[in-house]
Amino acid sequence: MTEISSLGEFGLIKRLTQNIKTTNSATLYGVGDDCAVLHYPDTEVLVTTDMLMEGVHFDLTYIDLYHLGFKSAQVNISDIFAMNGTPRQLVVSLALSKRFKVEDLEEFYAGLQAACKQWNVDIVGGDTTSSYTGLAVSITCIGEAPRNEIVYRNGAKDTDLICVSGDLGAAYMGLQLLEREKTVYYQQVDEARKKNDQLALQHLKAFQPDFAGKEYLLQRQLRPEARGDIIKRLRDANIKPTAMMDISDGLSSELLHICEQSNCGCRVFEKNIPIDYQTAVMAEEMNMNVTTCAMNGGEDYELLFTVPIGDHSKIEKMEGVKLIGHVTKPEFGKQLVARDGTEFEITAQGWNPLQSK
């Protein structure tokens, strides 16, 4: 294992980026100078950034650095797709404690590159520094879109249809599963230490949780996929959403964002919310309400969007998209219609990274 300090900042950058090749014509110059050089003469530039903190956004007990790199890239790329844009470049900054080795970062970059290769995105720069509090990841994604094709959150109108891609709640249930197994493991470690049972402690080093039958939930949590495929299907069907977001903090929170910025209300039908079978089984196993998980769980990185009612027949035929409700006038509020017809006011119960624990 190679100490990071033995390479120095520039040596580390060179080692991590030596195999990165640029593929976008807009990337005139990538890693290697004070700035990347990009050229966008005839289109609008989209820029998004995310910061992920160890202990807040991820736990290295159950996510390895390859998957962390993959996920870090995908969640930023997802924001560009949520504006109906095309992602082009990525800038990566890391703050590292001394417990990380160069090989650890190579794993992280392998995950980054796998995600970027999937969507033809160039890694064009970044920064590294030291940290006393664990790993911090900051990623900026740059994309493009013609001005008249950009979709904001503020365009939803009365009678528009509300749609989501994929299924919801699986990433949250994957997180609950990982947290449960982590708790079980550390409880066993604590018991063995209290009894000074060295044999048990030795066996626990090879502890492997049983995730059989729950692989989909883990994939949704550890390896999310930005939904560029849905953007392509919408374009191919000649559908331009009137408002759109990706579902990072939970369906309820994202619905309220669109309603607030579009000055509208909504009616969403519980029976139409897409939920995978494994999600429902896991929620029952943990004695949790599956609709609550789907509405408030977050980290699905599916697309929530509204379309004109005239596109109803196109949406119904579209694979991977579900119609879950419609937009109303603001005075009708934001309502979730339960299976029995009872209506509940939608409240923002999604994940809040600034909330104190």
Side-chain angles (χ1 to χ4, degrees), residues 202-265:
Q202 191 67 29
H203 286 161
L204 282 168
K205 290 182 180 180
F207 176 83
Q208 289 292 330
D210 182 11
F211 292 138
K214 301 178 175 68
E215 293 83 2
Y216 180 67
L217 304 180
L218 297 180
Q219 177 186 343
R220 293 282 284 173
Q221 171 57 218
L222 301 177
R223 192 183 171 92
E225 300 276 350
R227 297 311 306 264
D229 59 322
I230 298 297
I231 297 299
K232 184 179 186 303
R233 288 176 203 169
L234 290 170
R235 290 172 182 167
D236 290 346
N238 197 28
I239 298 174
K240 181 188 175 183
T242 52
M244 186 156 57
M245 290 184 68
D246 69 338
I247 302 175
S248 56
D249 296 333
L251 177 60
S252 59
S253 295
E254 319 304 12
L255 279 168
L256 293 180
H257 284 311
I258 286 179
C259 287
E260 179 181 354
Q261 296 201 26
S262 297
N263 189 30
C264 65

Side-chain angles (χ1 to χ4, degrees), residues 149-339:
E149 292 297 319
I150 298 173
V151 178
Y152 300 89
R153 301 175 182 179
N154 61 6
K157 297 177 177 59
D158 183 26
T159 76
D160 279 356
L161 308 176
I162 301 173
C163 310
V164 295
S165 65
D167 59 81
L168 305 180
Y172 179 70
M173 294 316 301
L175 177 62
Q176 299 310 302
L177 176 60
L178 289 165
E179 286 286 348
R180 184 183 72 180
E181 295 303 312
K182 174 186 171 182
T183 299
V184 168
Y185 170 71
Y186 281 115
Q187 283 177 344
Q188 293 179 7
V189 169
D190 288 342
E191 289 174 7
R193 284 175 175 167
K194 287 177 183 177
K195 297 176 181 177
N196 196 26
D197 188 338
Q198 296 302 315
L199 182 60
L201 287 171
Q202 191 67 29
H203 286 161
L204 282 168
K205 290 182 180 180
F207 176 83
Q208 289 292 330
D210 182 11
F211 292 138
K214 301 178 175 68
E215 293 83 2
Y216 180 67
L217 304 180
L218 297 180
Q219 177 186 343
R220 293 282 284 173
Q221 171 57 218
L222 301 177
R223 192 183 171 92
E225 300 276 350
R227 297 311 306 264
D229 59 322
I230 298 297
I231 297 299
K232 184 179 186 303
R233 288 176 203 169
L234 290 170
R235 290 172 182 167
D236 290 346
N238 197 28
I239 298 174
K240 181 188 175 183
T242 52
M244 186 156 57
M245 290 184 68
D246 69 338
I247 302 175
S248 56
D249 296 333
L251 177 60
S252 59
S253 295
E254 319 304 12
L255 279 168
L256 293 180
H257 284 311
I258 286 179
C259 287
E260 179 181 354
Q261 296 201 26
S262 297
N263 189 30
C264 65
C266 68
R267 294 185 87 226
V268 173
F269 296 88
E270 180 185 19
K271 64 181 181 180
N272 292 347
I273 297 172
I275 296 171
D276 184 79
Y277 175 75
Q278 285 190 28
T279 304
V281 169
M282 193 69 207
E284 183 176 359
E285 185 179 322
M286 291 191 161
N287 196 29
M288 300 174 74
N289 182 285
V290 70
T291 300
T292 301
C293 297
M295 288 290 292
N296 302 315
E299 289 199 291
D300 292 304
Y301 298 103
E302 297 292 346
L303 292 173
L304 166 68
F305 57 95
T306 59
V307 299
I309 194 170
D311 289 326
H312 184 274
S313 60
K314 294 180 182 178
I315 288 294
E316 280 199 321
K317 298 174 185 176
M318 189 169 293
E319 183 182 353
V321 171
K322 189 72 180 290
L323 172 60
I324 63 169
H326 59 268
V327 177
T328 65
K329 291 184 171 67
E331 55 265 29
F332 292 114
K334 299 95 175 172
Q335 303 295 324
L336 174 67
V337 183
R339 296 178 190 278

Side-chain angles (χ1 to χ4, degrees), residues 3-37:
E3 295 287 345
I4 291 173
S5 59
S6 69
L7 294 180
E9 181 179 7
F10 294 109
L12 177 62
I13 292 170
K14 182 177 180 180
R15 178 158 170 175
L16 294 177
T17 61
Q18 59 187 345
N19 296 319
I20 292 176
K21 309 296 182 185
T22 61
T23 59
N24 287 285
S25 60
T27 308
L28 299 187
Y29 195 88
V31 179
D33 216 309
D34 289 312
C35 293
V37 182

